[in-house]
Amino acid sequence: MFRPKVIFSLVIVILTMVAWPAAAQDIYANEGFLSGVIHPFLGLDHLLTIFAASLIGMQLGGKAQVSVPLAFLLFFIFGDIIGLLRVPMPWVEPGIALSGILLGLALLMGREVPLSFAQALVGIFALFHGHAHGAEIPMGANPVWYTLGISMGTVAIMLFGGAVAWYLSLIETPKPLLRGLGGIITSLGLLLWLF
């Protein structure tokens, strides 16, 4: 049986154990870890996409609660690595621009989205976002610490999305509220696309 409180607590403990030594090391290693942690929070398009991916997983329920955010995280890290290596990737900017819109629409559609489609959709967009983050590494930052930091920042946003969805699940009819969040994410994505 899936127990969100237990998994959430374990993830927080693991993140704390990893983050403190890394943050202490980062004080002496230029920017790396801390700038990586902060980076996903700086762009509304990135924030919306990561948040939407975690909400989609929670909305689908069952194993999707873990597998959809995990698919996002793994593809994000892969995209970050190829961005760090300066491997060219087509359509990164359009992919990022469309991600909030399409993930918001997937959330708006609700349970009609098949699990494999949800995993593929978040994976493709995570690849674009990861590549952009990797390519934008600050000058002088340690790539390993930066990737660890950016992964931790992404996980923090995903945990927040999962916590929001879990809290809404305590309400008798959370589905309309999650769909409403999907509508808001889609609308903000469209505004970012237009402006």
Side-chain angles (χ1 to χ4, degrees), residues 30-84:
N30 294 327
E31 296 177 343
F33 183 79
L34 293 178
S35 64
V37 170
I38 294 166
H39 202 96
F41 293 90
L42 298 179
L44 185 58
D45 50 355
H46 296 296
L47 199 59
L48 288 174
T49 302
I50 298 166
F51 186 63
S54 62
L55 290 178
I56 289 168
M58 295 300 283
Q59 185 182 53
L60 292 174
K63 64 181 181 179
Q65 295 174 346
V66 174
S67 67
V68 171
L70 186 59
F72 186 94
L73 183 62
L74 293 175
F75 278 91
F76 182 88
I77 292 169
F78 179 70
D80 179 69
I81 291 168
I82 64 174
L84 285 168

Side-chain angles (χ1 to χ4, degrees), residues 112-129:
E112 293 81 19
V113 179
L115 176 59
S116 57
F117 177 76
Q119 291 169 326
L121 188 65
V122 301
I124 289 167
F125 289 128
L127 201 57
F128 291 132
H129 283 269

